Amino acid sequence: SLSFTRDGQEVFKGLDFYWFTTGVVTAYKSNVLSIQENYRFEQQSYADIVSMVKENRIPQVLLFRDILLSQPDVTFTQCSSLVAHTPLISPMYAVLGGTNGIREGHIITRYVNDSVVLDFANVTAHSTGNYRGYNPAYYMVQTNYDLWEQDPADDDRRTVAETLLSAWNRSVDTQLMAIGANLQAIMSSKPVHNQNTFYTGIFAANYDLFLGYIRQ
């Protein structure tokens, strides 16, 4: 866990150990938002990357740090817009959660020059971009592939997680500890948790909850 400060005051937390020398891929701003980046596979040529660097675009691992430090009073809506529209060098996925339940939850699929924003509250009314009719239940699970496409045969983490979430009796498990325990159980189930899992984080900005630990 990392703490990013300015003038002695904490601006946001980061949960990371791989990218922390330059940026973070998991960030949390107390009582405002949490955000997580997932890599999106896409072929890019060396020449294209060099060209985008010359255009002063930034890599995706710097994006969250840049937004949260340059705009310490950023809101969920502002952060979502910046994640969706800031020129980047590489594509990615970003998952954002705010403090108003499903009314503040986005999954953003970032291409180099475009984006798709899926809104938890009402996909068909509030989302933007071409998401090909994708319409989820009360949850969305993001790994490293577009949500409107099927999981590849050799990586069904999202399908397994969605199946486990669909069996969750939300009318019974309404307390924060029960919710956390269920999420922990899902994220510890194979293949959601696998040999390539670095760490697990559970965040809830409205409860000021920020937990993370390294996985074996």
Side-chain angles (χ1 to χ4, degrees):
S1 176
L2 306 167
S3 178
F4 292 80
T5 63
R6 174 165 290 166
D7 298 327
Q9 299 295 317
E10 183 176 85
V11 180
F12 74 96
K13 294 181 184 293
L15 180 61
D16 222 323
F17 68 94
Y18 187 67
W19 297 108
F20 73 89
T21 55
T22 55
V24 291
V25 295
T26 304
Y28 172 86
K29 188 171 180 62
S30 181
N31 296 308
V32 179
L33 60 86
S34 61
I35 186 167
Q36 163 72 40
E37 181 262 354
N38 283 342
Y39 184 78
R40 185 176 188 274
F41 298 102
E42 185 174 306
Q43 291 291 333
Q44 292 181 283
S45 70
Y46 176 78
D48 286 342
I49 293 173
V50 170
S51 176
M52 287 185 284
V53 170
K54 291 179 179 179
E55 294 172 4
N56 292 319
R57 297 186 180 215
I58 64 173
Q60 78 275 19
V61 296
L62 282 178
L63 181 61
F64 302 163
R65 180 174 180 173
D66 182 68
I67 292 172
L68 295 174
L69 285 179
S70 65
Q71 302 193 42
D73 296 323
V74 69
T75 65
F76 173 89
T77 301
Q78 291 167 340
C79 185
S80 177
S81 179
L82 288 166
V83 170
H85 299 110
T86 298
L88 297 178
I89 294 174
S90 300
M92 69 168 188
Y93 301 101
V95 182
L96 288 84
T99 59
N100 292 314
I102 62 170
R103 290 175 295 281
E104 286 190 345
H106 288 166
I107 286 183
I108 301 174
T109 300
R110 274 303 310 264
Y111 311 102
V112 171
N113 293 310
D114 200 2
S115 64
V116 175
V117 180
L118 288 168
D119 188 291
F120 276 65
N122 191 330
V123 166
T124 56
H126 299 148
S127 299
T128 62
N130 182 12
Y131 49 91
R132 303 182 188 180
Y134 174 76
N135 194 10
Y138 70 89
Y139 52 79
M140 285 195 277
V141 178
Q142 181 63 62
T143 55
N144 302 102
Y145 313 98
D146 295 348
L147 281 171
W148 48 90
E149 302 288 353
Q150 289 187 340
D151 274 343
D154 60 349
D155 189 356
D156 62 348
R157 289 171 295 150
R158 187 184 76 218
T159 300
V160 171
E162 289 175 339
T163 300
L164 293 170
L165 283 166
S166 68
W168 182 354
N169 188 343
R170 293 186 300 145
S171 63
V172 174
D173 298 324
T174 59
Q175 300 300 310
L176 183 62
M177 288 297 293
I179 294 171
N182 276 280
L183 290 175
Q184 170 64 26
I186 291 169
M187 290 187 290
S188 297
S189 302
K190 295 185 179 302
V192 180
H193 173 229
N194 57 68
Q195 63 182 3
N196 295 317
T197 303
F198 293 154
Y199 61 86
T200 293
I202 298 178
F203 321 117
N206 55 324
Y207 290 103
D208 200 19
L209 176 67
F210 179 77
L211 301 175
Y213 49 93
I214 296 173
R215 303 304 294 262
Q216 301 296 324

